[in-house]
């Protein structure tokens, strides 16, 4: 059951979206107010994907620009938060593809060392907020676990973000939890064996 505050926020959110879609003179102000509560979770999401603050900042900015540009396409069938996460995920995927292509063509180990570690983000780094066990899992398992437990999305919202049916989302989540638990148990056995 939704709380009164949650219902009020959803109504306010819906009103802001309607004003923006209608081309209200203060549309940009309404948009800024609308996305303010999502900026930090979206940035964490981008960090989990990309592992680099510079890249996460760039992708977050592009996510916000695209969501403002295409807000007229938002129909309200999914929660606005889910819609934003889907845009962020698509931007992260595109960025990773672009980065991989660029690195394969132009970046060698020597060039990265010459550039210095301050300005160059590593191609594969550990994302903040994701445990070592989760990082060892397949990307699809990491994705569903982070959405559920770090970003606190419901199964329905995760389903919308990932573009999966609800039953497929549940199955992916349960399999990811099972895989993470198995990995933790394996690590525990290895620790006790070496102690």
């Amino acid at each position: 059951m939704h709380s009164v505050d949650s219902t009020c926020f959803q109504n306010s959110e819906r009103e802001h979206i309607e004003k923006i879609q209608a081309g209200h003179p203060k549309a940009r102000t309404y948009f800024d107010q609308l996305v303010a509560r999502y900026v930090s979770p979206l940035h964490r999401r981008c960090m989990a994907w990309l592992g680099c603050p510079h890249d996460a900042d760039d992708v977050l900015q592009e996510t916000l620009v695209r969501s403002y540009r295409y807000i007229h396409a938002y129909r309200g069938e999914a929660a606005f938060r889910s819609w934003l996460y889907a845009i962020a995920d698509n931007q992260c995927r595109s960025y990773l593809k672009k980065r991989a292509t660029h690195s394969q063509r132009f970046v060698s180990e020597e060039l990265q060392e010459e550039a210095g570690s301050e300005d160059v983000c590593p191609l594969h780094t550990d994302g903040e907020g994701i445990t070592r066990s989760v990082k060892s899992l397949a990307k699809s398992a990491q994705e569903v676990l982070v959405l559920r437990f770090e970003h606190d999305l419901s199964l329905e919202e995760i389903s919308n973000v990932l573009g999966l049916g609800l039953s497929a989302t549940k199955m992916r989540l349960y399999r990811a939890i099972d895989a993470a638990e198995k990995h933790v148990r394996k690590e525990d056995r290895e620790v006790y064996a070496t102690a």
Side-chain angles (χ1 to χ4, degrees), residues 45 59 64 71 126 159 166 173:
R45 179 84 179 137
V59 171
L64 295 174
I71 198 163
D126 297 338
S159 170
L166 189 57
L173 177 61

Side-chain angles (χ1 to χ4, degrees), residues 140-141 144-145 155 158-159 162 164-179:
S140 61
V144 72
L145 289 171
L155 285 170
I158 296 169
S159 170
L162 299 179
L164 299 172
L166 189 57
S167 61
T169 302
K170 287 179 186 177
M171 185 60 69
R172 185 176 289 186
L173 177 61
Y174 298 140
R175 285 181 180 165
I177 290 170
D178 187 50

Side-chain angles (χ1 to χ4, degrees), residues 89-108:
D89 284 358
N90 287 335
Q91 291 305 304
C92 287
R93 284 184 193 100
S94 295
Y95 194 89
L96 286 171
K97 285 178 188 174
K98 207 181 316 178
R99 184 167 73 181
T101 302
H102 177 74
S103 68
Q104 288 172 355
R105 289 185 184 164
F106 303 110
V107 180
S108 68

